Amino acid sequence: MSCQTGNIGRVFHALGDPTRRAIVEKLSEGPISVSQLTQPLDITLAAVLQHLQVLEESGLVRTEKIGRVRTCSIEPGGLSAAEKWIRDRRTLWERRLDRLGELLAESGEE
Amino acid sequence: MSCQTGNIGRVFHALGDPTRRAIVEKLSEGPISVSQLTQPLDITLAAVLQHLQVLEESGLVRTEKIGRVRTCSIEPGGLSAAEKWIRDRRTLWERRLDRLGELLAESGEE
DNA sequence: GGGATTGTCAAGTGAATACTTAAGTATTGT
DNA sequence: ACAATACTTAAGTATTCACTTGACAATCCC
């Protein structure tokens, strides 16, 4: 299996920060360097680097350094665990609501 | 529209905490009271209450007090904004990777 | 009424967070 | 070689967080 589970907490925590979400959104358009990433944000490059570390540890982002520039890109499977967790919750309680609906319909019929 | 956007940050932040995820998971099975919610968790009722406040503000959970017991339940649309954000990112970069794949295939063919 | 249950509120505490600054280290271009 | 670029690292700071304690309120049951 491609994705280690147990990162769900880290992923949600990473996405809880607006700057980090902005980084992920930017990277969705394609890979760019740390300084390019920093430019539109209103914080120092050092701060961006710290966010990138969080994002890497959560498995959402991958970075590679070539020469003096570190290029950041989306890790394509990074969101799947979180997506699955959400989907699982949804189906669980939708199923529950359906059962509830049936019960109400039955009791209304007789 | 049923869901206020702008909560995405709050939702992700709320789900970043393991205790809060445990609460949501428990509530997925059905509505229960605050003390029932507290019982399996290793923290005080007051702490659970604080988590519940975060969850309510994020739109993930709804609570209602009847008599002396406050009953907590899932707010069924609460995850949709987060789900949409994730889906949007995914389709964005999958589309990008597809284009990239096409380019590589083309250059390999000739 | 009185005692148990269930929840509420307000401080307070220690740890984690998101930043900054400042002083490095490589790498590249001239 | 030298200067600019692009990042790295460490230390410090203010804020936010998760949690506790303890005093309080409301409700239920006998």
Side-chain angles (χ1 to χ4, degrees), chain B residues 26 32-45 48:
Chain B
K26 186 70 182 174
I32 55 177
S33 74
V34 179
S35 40
Q36 283 176 306
L37 215 39
T38 304
Q39 193 189 304
L41 302 171
D42 212 22
I43 52 176
T44 54
L45 191 144
V48 172

Side-chain angles (χ1 to χ4, degrees), chain A:
Chain A
M1 303 299 148
S2 63
C3 67
Q4 319 258 32
T5 180
N7 297 40
I8 307 138
R10 270 186 239 207
V11 170
F12 282 134
H13 170 247
L15 295 178
D17 182 86
T19 305
R20 249 145 20 207
R21 271 199 315 284
I23 290 175
V24 171
E25 285 169 7
K26 187 69 181 174
L27 290 182
S28 296
E29 300 167 10
I32 55 177
S33 74
V34 179
S35 40
Q36 282 176 308
L37 215 39
T38 304
Q39 194 190 303
L41 302 171
D42 213 22
I43 54 178
T44 55
L45 190 143
V48 173
L49 227 59
Q50 285 166 6
H51 283 304
L52 280 172
Q53 204 183 329
V54 173
L55 287 167
E56 259 195 287
E57 280 165 3
S58 76
L60 286 170
V61 162
R62 183 197 331 157
T63 79
E64 187 193 9
K65 190 166 186 180
I66 298 175
R68 66 181 164 178
V69 37
R70 176 172 296 276
T71 302
C72 315
S73 51
I74 289 292
E75 178 77 62
L79 279 176
S80 52
E83 210 172 6
K84 175 170 167 23
W85 187 90
I86 291 183
R87 202 172 344 104
D88 286 353
R89 290 317 117 202
R90 278 242 294 186
T91 54
L92 237 167
W93 67 62
E94 271 168 11
R95 194 163 301 168
R96 207 175 44 74
L97 288 178
D98 284 354
R99 268 203 309 276
L100 196 65
E102 282 172 28
L103 280 175
L104 289 176
E106 277 176 32
S107 69
E109 268 172 19
E110 268 131 323

